[in-house]
Amino acid sequence: MASVTSSELMAKIVSLCKRRGFIFQSSEIYGGLNSCYDYGPLGAELKNNLKQSWMNAMVREHDNIEGLDSSILMHPKIWEASGHVANFVDPLVDCKTCKGRFRADQLEMATCGLKPSKTPKTCGGEFTEARSFNLMFKTFMGALEDQSAVVYLRPETAQGIYVNFLNVMSTSRQKIPFGIAQIGKAFRNEITPGNFIFRTREFEQMEMQYFVKPGQDEAELERWKEIRLKWHLDLGLKANKLRFHQHGPKELAHYAKAAFDIQYEFPFGWQEIEGLHNRSDFDLGNHQQASSKKLGVFDEETKSTYTPYIIETSVGCDRVLLTTLVDAYDEETMAGDDEGPRVVLRLSPKIAPVKAVVLPLMKKEGLPERAEKIMADLRKNWRVQYDESGSIGKRYRRADEAGTPFAITVDQEAGTVTVRERDSMKQERISESNVVEYLRKFLN
Ligand code: ATP
């Protein structure tokens, strides 16, 4: 891709997302709601594919990992026991000069309200002392709006897993070590949301909590680091854009004994896309104490009861989706083309929202009928689209921008079609009856 600045690249991705129906600003017709986004037709497909890939990698590929779908609203005591009421805080500073409000530990990621080319650190503004700001959204349950009716929108899905630990273990007859995987919405009243869907106040997490015997936690954390990195690589992300970052003592969350982030190099720098934590017995221990319910496990070998340790893998679905878009976005200048560079999303076929587009060369001579027959076969297997409007070149470009890996063109040569591959643009003529089998090689 010809060199573009990092902010230009993000602007191009945001514009593509809107233009092609990946992502829209929430409440757009009312002027938009800051940091909230809606997934359009292509975005919803891409997101579903990512979720499916994660669930398969967790539950289908591991006999000892079970799925769960717990509620967003939970007993408020859960958030006291988990430490979130006291500790889920970020340091907040106000700028007396521009009246902006910023996260004190992330000033380099924000922009000054008066001097947009500067960060709050470098703009010369006068700051207040940092104070703690709790990130949990509060609401009321029932008709009374008083303190006794306060409930929280969950800031992570993990707690729903911990409080169901015994339910899942006993009903699925699992034994330690085993895991529980869940995908669901989480809410954080972030001080400085931004960078499109990178940091929002409502987002979706994919979390797997793995329960192990104390003493096996460190080895399990190492094992899960490798498994999770491989998942990101299997999505097609470039290896040189991924790395681990180990949390130093000051970075560790209140529940963590050790933590690693998987980071990706975004146009705005290296940032976390997934967190892996050794949460020790912090969570089950605290819930056991606060609820007075026994959450220990009996060890047949030692004939004693212990509280399992937890290895957590937690990845933001929206953040991974942004990562796949950033990683896949490309522009290619083509010789003799006066339409400008070809924009192509080089998404892995496994996660591409639409797997193939079927293009009758003309709207006559029986070509649409042959194309419709191919559509009917493909539709049984994958999400595919039909496109008969505009020149064939324009139609290829539309498909390239949407990340559609294959374009099947039906022309006058009866019994055969051409298949064009998105990245190489190479075309191959194959038998019309062989299209499903041909694509299956690449898609499954
Ligand atoms: P950060 O340091 O970026 O605030 P975190 O360390 O608080 O993230 P975790 O609590 O470990 O994040 O959450 C696990 C994952 O959830 C993150 O790696 C990220 O992918 C996702 N995530 C967390 N907060 C947000 C958010 N505000 N918007 C979108 N995704 C988020």
Side-chain angles (χ1 to χ4, degrees):
M1 182 165 55
S3 76
V4 286
T5 66
S6 55
S7 60
E8 272 169 6
L9 177 58
M10 281 310 288
K12 280 169 187 272
I13 289 170
V14 173
S15 152
L16 171 73
C17 283
K18 162 115 173 98
R19 188 168 74 242
R20 295 312 311 274
F22 278 91
I23 301 167
F24 308 122
Q25 177 73 60
S26 158
S27 319
E28 195 182 60
I29 62 169
Y30 286 94
L33 182 65
N34 184 19
S35 102
C36 295
Y37 293 93
D38 299 338
Y39 288 86
L42 292 181
E45 290 282 349
L46 177 56
K47 204 172 188 198
N48 278 337
N49 293 344
L50 289 169
K51 290 197 242 181
Q52 191 78 56
S53 161
W54 185 86
M55 261 298 173
N56 285 348
M58 287 299 174
V59 177
R60 203 187 278 182
E61 287 178 23
H62 295 93
D63 292 342
N64 70 341
I65 299 183
E66 306 284 348
L68 180 77
D69 186 354
S70 69
S71 67
I72 288 173
L73 300 176
M74 298 195 283
H75 199 294
K77 283 199 175 146
I78 288 175
W79 303 110
E80 282 168 30
S82 70
H84 283 80
V85 171
N87 298 316
F88 197 56
V89 290
D90 276 340
L92 173 85
V93 287
D94 289 303
C95 175
K96 293 182 190 165
T97 316
C98 78
K99 310 287 176 228
R101 196 157 262 190
F102 306 102
R103 203 170 135 174
D105 59 341
Q106 287 188 350
L107 292 179
E108 69 289 350
M109 298 266 296
T111 36
C112 167
L114 293 179
K115 300 177 190 166
S117 63
K118 303 236 167 181
T119 67
K121 219 179 201 169
T122 58
C123 64
E126 196 192 335
F127 288 97
T128 59
E129 283 292 305
R131 61 188 188 281
S132 291
F133 173 75
N134 194 297
L135 301 185
M136 283 198 292
F137 277 97
K138 280 183 192 172
T139 187
F140 302 97
M141 187 170 259
L144 278 181
E145 294 199 356
D146 64 11
Q147 191 54 33
S148 67
V150 166
V151 288
Y152 301 96
L153 301 189
R154 65 182 178 196
E156 60 175 32
T157 66
Q159 299 302 324
I161 295 181
Y162 305 147
V163 296
N164 277 295
F165 162 68
L166 282 187
N167 284 337
V168 175
M169 187 167 72
S170 59
T171 53
S172 59
R173 301 170 61 237
Q174 290 286 358
K175 290 198 168 58
I176 302 283
F178 80 97
I180 304 178
Q182 145 155 272
I183 298 178
K185 288 268 181 168
F187 303 83
R188 295 182 187 177
N189 201 0
E190 298 277 4
I191 298 167
T192 36
N195 284 320
F196 196 30
I197 56 167
F198 178 81
R199 185 180 302 285
T200 52
R201 293 191 171 113
E202 171 181 343
F203 54 98
E204 216 158 356
Q205 287 187 312
M206 307 192 284
E207 298 199 303
M208 194 283 295
Q209 311 292 326
Y210 200 70
F211 301 89
V212 302
K213 252 190 195 174
Q216 290 171 357
D217 48 317
E218 285 171 20
E220 284 292 349
L221 180 61
E222 286 304 314
R223 190 172 75 87
W224 278 104
K225 273 171 60 188
E226 296 316 311
I227 297 175
R228 293 306 304 147
L229 181 65
K230 184 169 177 304
W231 182 78
H232 291 279
L233 291 168
D234 287 349
L235 291 182
L237 299 183
K238 295 180 189 84
N240 64 346
K241 297 268 180 183
L242 289 165
R243 71 176 188 194
F244 284 112
H245 162 75
Q246 181 167 18
H247 284 210
K250 283 195 185 139
E251 270 176 285
L252 282 178
H254 63 273
Y255 48 74
K257 176 179 159 189
F260 290 84
D261 294 338
I262 296 178
Q263 293 186 331
Y264 180 84
E265 190 179 19
F266 287 94
F268 42 89
W270 285 95
Q271 296 291 334
E272 167 180 346
I273 54 174
E274 169 154 357
L276 290 109
H277 297 101
N278 179 347
R279 297 181 72 131
S280 73
D281 59 357
F282 178 89
D283 302 278
L284 291 185
N286 281 3
H287 286 308
Q288 186 159 252
Q289 204 173 24
S291 68
S292 307
K293 293 279 182 310
K294 290 204 167 63
L295 298 176
V297 171
F298 188 71
D299 187 342
E300 293 292 346
E301 263 172 42
T302 61
K303 305 286 178 218
S304 61
T305 300
Y306 66 91
T307 307
Y309 271 35
I310 293 170
I311 303 303
E312 166 180 74
T313 78
S314 174
V315 57
C317 186
D318 314 78
R319 214 174 262 189
V320 167
L321 190 144
L322 178 64
T323 315
T324 61
L325 292 176
V326 167
D327 203 70
Y329 186 91
D330 199 6
E331 287 180 8
E332 207 173 21
T333 308
M334 315 228 295
D337 197 333
D338 39 62
E339 274 189 51
R342 165 176 100 112
V343 175
V344 52
L345 275 187
R346 301 188 192 278
L347 290 170
S348 156
K350 277 184 284 193
I351 56 167
V354 175
K355 306 301 183 194
V357 60
V358 179
L359 315 168
L361 198 58
M362 297 179 303
K363 291 187 205 166
K364 53 186 184 185
E365 295 183 27
L367 302 192
E369 289 74 16
R370 280 171 54 208
E372 181 44 50
K373 166 88 185 42
I374 295 169
M375 280 292 292
D377 290 340
L378 292 176
R379 218 183 263 129
K380 286 181 209 145
N381 296 277
W382 306 286
R383 176 87 171 92
V384 288
Q385 274 178 350
Y386 182 82
D387 188 357
E388 60 173 21
S389 59
S391 71
I392 199 76
K394 282 218 167 68
R395 285 185 266 169
Y396 283 151
R397 285 209 169 199
R398 270 204 286 272
D400 291 342
E401 252 193 2
T404 305
F406 298 102
I408 295 148
T409 306
V410 182
D411 56 20
Q412 289 96 330
E413 279 204 33
T416 65
V417 294
T418 63
V419 181
R420 171 189 179 269
E421 196 275 328
R422 176 197 65 202
D423 295 346
S424 62
M425 294 185 285
K426 287 214 175 91
Q427 301 199 20
E428 199 177 335
R429 190 166 283 278
I430 65 166
S431 158
E432 201 167 314
S433 57
N434 199 28
V435 176
V436 171
E437 283 317 305
Y438 182 90
L439 293 193
R440 206 186 295 282
K441 283 197 304 240
F442 302 97
L443 294 173
N444 289 5

